[in-house]
Amino acid sequence: ELRTPLNAIIGFSDMIKTEAFGPLDHAQYRGYVKDINESGQHLLALINDILDLAKIESGKDDLSEESVDLTENLTSVLMLVRQRAQTRGVALHLELEDGLPALWADPRKLKQVFVNLLTNAIKFTDRDGRITLSARRHVTGDLVFEIADTGIGIAPEDIPKALSQFGQVKKDPQYAQEGTGLGLPLTQALVAQHGGVLELHSQLGVGTTVTVRFPAQRMVMLATPEPLRRAVAS
């Protein structure tokens, strides 16, 4: 009931915004329809995040797990956010340790984790800044991902608020952008669904590093027989 009318608002306003059936007579109307379209998209994103988080917390959101090729998955993630980074003038880098195994995970949700984290990093990183997404094996056998940016950072005492539902940390007015306040909590919940842990370390004026760690039990060597893969998944 919420998504259907919103999709109609977004779809029709997008047609008007692009003047699909002819030009609008007044420039101010173009500004109005742009606002309608952006507001509809923001509201739809908020609704989607609330529903996703509610499903996870209710235990009704199952994982569709398979062996995920990390190079392929993360390269796809970077393609999704590259245009946003270019618009902001931010450089993206991918650093993968050689010989990484596959990860037994839900590929769509894994992609959502990194898209959310990279989008957040891009939003709060200045022009000519740098964001690095890296992956490596820890000495414990766990798989560790890091998203490190050179952005404006968060005061250590504000980190718990940033990770709380609807928690938004006050930032410099030039970075004031609408957000749902659910991006990090939802991402944290998606990681936890996989038995993983998300940690956030930040310093004002220096940048932020988000660490995502998946347990060694989720590593799947590419040559692992299918029966063993099923055992790992269970």
Side-chain angles (χ1 to χ4, degrees), residues 2-229:
L2 291 169
R3 283 182 174 135
T4 300
L6 267 175
N7 281 323
I9 291 168
I10 293 169
F12 287 124
S13 63
D14 192 57
M15 290 181 67
I16 298 170
K17 185 178 69 173
T18 58
E19 299 178 305
F21 296 106
L24 295 174
D25 292 332
H26 199 292
Q28 198 162 355
Y29 289 149
R30 287 192 286 274
Y32 291 157
V33 77
K34 180 175 179 288
D35 291 341
I36 292 169
N37 188 265
E38 290 179 353
S39 297
Q41 291 190 46
H42 174 68
L43 186 54
L44 183 60
L46 174 59
I47 290 168
N48 286 338
D49 283 351
I50 290 172
L51 294 178
D52 286 346
L53 197 55
K55 283 193 295 184
I56 292 172
E57 291 182 342
S58 68
K60 296 179 180 179
D61 190 39
D62 296 327
L63 295 174
S64 298
E65 297 165 296
E66 60 184 70
S67 179
V68 179
D69 183 297
L70 293 175
T71 300
E72 182 180 321
N73 189 276
L74 296 180
T75 299
S76 175
V77 166
L78 289 183
M79 289 179 63
L80 289 172
V81 301
R82 190 172 301 281
Q83 182 59 51
R84 187 189 300 260
Q86 289 175 346
T87 301
R88 292 276 301 172
V90 175
L92 293 177
H93 298 272
L94 179 62
E95 297 178 359
L96 302 182
E97 185 180 89
D98 291 337
L100 285 177
L103 180 67
W104 191 260
D106 184 318
R108 183 185 65 83
K109 292 183 178 179
L110 186 67
K111 190 175 292 186
Q112 186 177 357
V113 164
F114 294 111
V115 167
N116 285 356
L117 293 176
L118 286 170
T119 299
N120 205 54
I122 292 167
K123 185 187 299 184
F124 297 112
T125 298
D126 287 323
R127 180 167 293 277
D128 298 324
R130 176 187 176 99
I131 299 170
T132 302
L133 169 57
S134 61
R136 58 183 172 81
R137 290 287 295 274
H138 193 266
V139 291
T140 61
D142 292 352
L143 185 59
V144 178
F145 298 86
E146 286 186 348
I147 297 88
D149 67 57
T150 59
I152 61 174
I154 304 170
E157 62 270 21
D158 286 332
I159 289 176
K161 184 177 181 180
L163 292 171
S164 66
Q165 292 183 22
F166 299 104
Q168 292 182 307
V169 178
K170 290 184 179 179
K171 299 181 183 291
D172 191 288
Q174 67 173 314
Y175 297 95
Q177 300 184 40
E178 288 187 338
T180 64
L182 287 174
L184 281 174
L186 175 57
T187 302
Q188 192 173 41
L190 291 170
V191 172
Q193 262 193 308
H194 288 82
V197 176
L198 182 149
E199 297 176 345
L200 191 155
H201 301 280
S202 190
Q203 186 176 344
L204 280 174
V206 176
T208 300
T209 298
V210 179
T211 303
V212 176
R213 182 190 295 256
F214 291 104
Q217 292 87 342
R218 285 200 167 268
M219 302 307 100
V220 181
M221 301 310 293
L222 296 179
T224 302
E226 186 62 29
L228 182 54
R229 292 190 185 191

